[in-house]
Amino acid sequence: MMFLKSARIISGGLLLSSLMWFSFPGPVFAEDPKSKDLIGNLIIPDVVARVNGKPIYSKQIKFRLVRMLKQINPPVDLTQKGRIIRALIDKEVVRELVYHEGKSRNLTVDSETVEKEMEALRSAYESEEEFQEALQKREITVDDLKRSMGVDILTLQLLEKQVKGNVEVTDWAARKYYDDNKEKFFRPETFRARHIFIAPYPLDLLKTTPKDEVEAKKKEHIAQAEKKIRDILQEVKDGADFAELAKKYSQDAGSAEKGGDIDFIYRGVFDPAFDEAIGKLKPGGISDVVQTRFGYHVIKLIENRPALQAPFTEMKQGIQKYLYMEEAKKKVEEYVETLRDQAKVEVLF
């Protein structure tokens, strides 16, 4: 029987931070005055849960809830908010469960790591006074932050012990996943092109001129942009080097210095008008002036790559990583359930 090589794609904290929701706190910005409006009539007790007698306070739940609700459109009703809160509480419960287990195993937190993270947080503020003011507005202390960091560090240490060395992905498993899911590895048509881009308004003008003044001269600016791009196209037709013209004239900062090269792009990523123009060209061909919602372009097609099935050899490593993460996630979930069964957990919301 052919020997099946094992693939262990491992990356400690990176792996586990992908599996779980643990992360160091970001900058401690002040609460939005509209936070109470977002929470609405929900009554959230000060203590939302206890894990082996250790209270989990609502202030962190409320902060995360408000951040989530700001990103949800349309707004959710009270029932949906309740579900979100219970999910957030459950995540905090899991953090405490794993943290308590880590402490019981005498795992320690490197104080230098915590201090480095604290310094990174402080660096987001212009002064220590501004940092302390932000903490006060959120009703948390430096000790609260340090403990949260310690929980995350200890949690990652313990979960890494549960996963590392206990998950294998064989070449056979990766190949089977590829064969069973070939539709996921179909690579659409791609093209590589250069373009010269002229914006409908001068970029410096948008930075320095009030919007109403820009709008008042809209037709004039557009006419100037159209004339400029057509003059450039004429230079191309007269034999000037396309890449050099892109470096000289193009207002696409991302590609101008590369001679307008936008590298390989899947069809459908750019504006439909851009794709339509590309579709009419053969390698080496140059478009007429193309207008998109962004402005005006002259395009030169470098290469086309037809739609095709990505070969297993190219996909193998990515598949192994995906399968590893999926199996590791299961291991973590099983371990957390074991801890939950052994602990006393009270949810008070």
Short mmCIF file of all heavy atoms in Angstrom, two decimals, residues 4 29 40 59 81 169 177 194 227 229 311 332:
data_model
loop_
_atom_site.label_atom_id
_atom_site.label_comp_id
_atom_site.label_asym_id
_atom_site.label_seq_id
_atom_site.Cartn_x
_atom_site.Cartn_y
_atom_site.Cartn_z
N LEU A 4 0.98 7.06 2.92
CA LEU A 4 0.27 8.31 2.89
C LEU A 4 0.94 9.30 3.81
O LEU A 4 0.92 9.14 5.03
CB LEU A 4 -1.20 8.12 3.33
CG LEU A 4 -2.02 7.19 2.43
CD1 LEU A 4 -3.41 7.02 3.02
CD2 LEU A 4 -2.10 7.74 1.02
N PHE A 29 -11.95 53.14 22.38
CA PHE A 29 -12.58 54.39 22.05
C PHE A 29 -13.81 54.63 22.94
O PHE A 29 -14.44 53.70 23.41
CB PHE A 29 -13.00 54.43 20.58
CG PHE A 29 -11.82 54.31 19.66
CD1 PHE A 29 -11.68 53.21 18.81
CD2 PHE A 29 -10.85 55.29 19.65
CE1 PHE A 29 -10.59 53.12 17.97
CE2 PHE A 29 -9.75 55.19 18.81
CZ PHE A 29 -9.63 54.11 17.97
N GLY A 40 -31.83 49.89 23.06
CA GLY A 40 -33.28 49.99 23.18
C GLY A 40 -33.79 49.64 24.57
O GLY A 40 -33.16 49.97 25.58
N LYS A 59 -20.90 45.02 31.04
CA LYS A 59 -20.33 46.17 30.33
C LYS A 59 -19.60 45.75 29.05
O LYS A 59 -19.69 46.43 28.02
CB LYS A 59 -19.40 46.98 31.24
CG LYS A 59 -18.27 46.20 31.88
CD LYS A 59 -17.52 47.08 32.88
CE LYS A 59 -16.43 46.31 33.60
NZ LYS A 59 -15.76 47.15 34.61
N LYS A 81 -32.04 40.85 19.04
CA LYS A 81 -31.01 41.41 19.91
C LYS A 81 -30.74 40.46 21.08
O LYS A 81 -29.59 40.26 21.50
CB LYS A 81 -31.43 42.78 20.45
CG LYS A 81 -31.39 43.89 19.41
CD LYS A 81 -31.85 45.21 20.02
CE LYS A 81 -31.93 46.30 18.97
NZ LYS A 81 -32.42 47.58 19.53
N VAL A 169 -3.89 15.58 8.40
CA VAL A 169 -4.59 15.61 7.12
C VAL A 169 -3.70 14.88 6.11
O VAL A 169 -2.61 15.33 5.79
CB VAL A 169 -4.84 17.06 6.64
CG1 VAL A 169 -5.52 17.04 5.28
CG2 VAL A 169 -5.69 17.82 7.65
N TYR A 177 -11.19 15.35 -1.04
CA TYR A 177 -11.96 16.59 -0.93
C TYR A 177 -11.96 17.32 -2.28
O TYR A 177 -12.99 17.85 -2.70
CB TYR A 177 -11.36 17.49 0.15
CG TYR A 177 -12.17 18.74 0.37
CD1 TYR A 177 -13.26 18.75 1.24
CD2 TYR A 177 -11.86 19.93 -0.31
CE1 TYR A 177 -14.02 19.90 1.43
CE2 TYR A 177 -12.61 21.07 -0.13
CZ TYR A 177 -13.68 21.04 0.74
OH TYR A 177 -14.45 22.18 0.92
N ARG A 194 -2.95 46.49 -19.22
CA ARG A 194 -2.49 47.80 -18.76
C ARG A 194 -3.60 48.81 -19.04
O ARG A 194 -4.37 48.63 -20.00
CB ARG A 194 -1.22 48.24 -19.51
CG ARG A 194 -0.01 47.35 -19.33
CD ARG A 194 1.18 47.91 -20.10
NE ARG A 194 2.30 46.99 -20.10
CZ ARG A 194 3.24 46.93 -19.15
NH1 ARG A 194 3.17 47.77 -18.12
NH2 ARG A 194 4.22 46.06 -19.21
N LYS A 227 -11.00 65.31 -23.26
CA LYS A 227 -9.99 65.78 -24.21
C LYS A 227 -8.62 65.19 -23.87
O LYS A 227 -7.88 64.74 -24.76
CB LYS A 227 -9.91 67.30 -24.21
CG LYS A 227 -8.89 67.85 -25.21
CD LYS A 227 -8.84 69.36 -25.19
CE LYS A 227 -7.91 69.88 -26.30
NZ LYS A 227 -6.55 69.31 -26.25
N ILE A 229 -7.88 62.34 -22.25
CA ILE A 229 -7.76 60.91 -22.53
C ILE A 229 -7.70 60.66 -24.04
O ILE A 229 -6.98 59.76 -24.51
CB ILE A 229 -8.92 60.11 -21.89
CG1 ILE A 229 -8.60 58.60 -21.87
CG2 ILE A 229 -10.24 60.36 -22.60
CD1 ILE A 229 -7.50 58.22 -20.94
N PRO A 311 -5.70 22.77 -11.16
CA PRO A 311 -5.18 21.42 -10.88
C PRO A 311 -4.99 21.18 -9.39
O PRO A 311 -4.76 22.10 -8.61
CB PRO A 311 -3.84 21.40 -11.62
CG PRO A 311 -3.43 22.83 -11.73
CD PRO A 311 -4.70 23.62 -11.86
N VAL A 332 -11.45 21.56 19.30
CA VAL A 332 -11.65 22.63 20.29
C VAL A 332 -13.07 22.60 20.82
O VAL A 332 -13.30 22.73 22.04
CB VAL A 332 -11.34 24.00 19.64
CG1 VAL A 332 -11.83 25.14 20.53
CG2 VAL A 332 -9.84 24.15 19.39
#
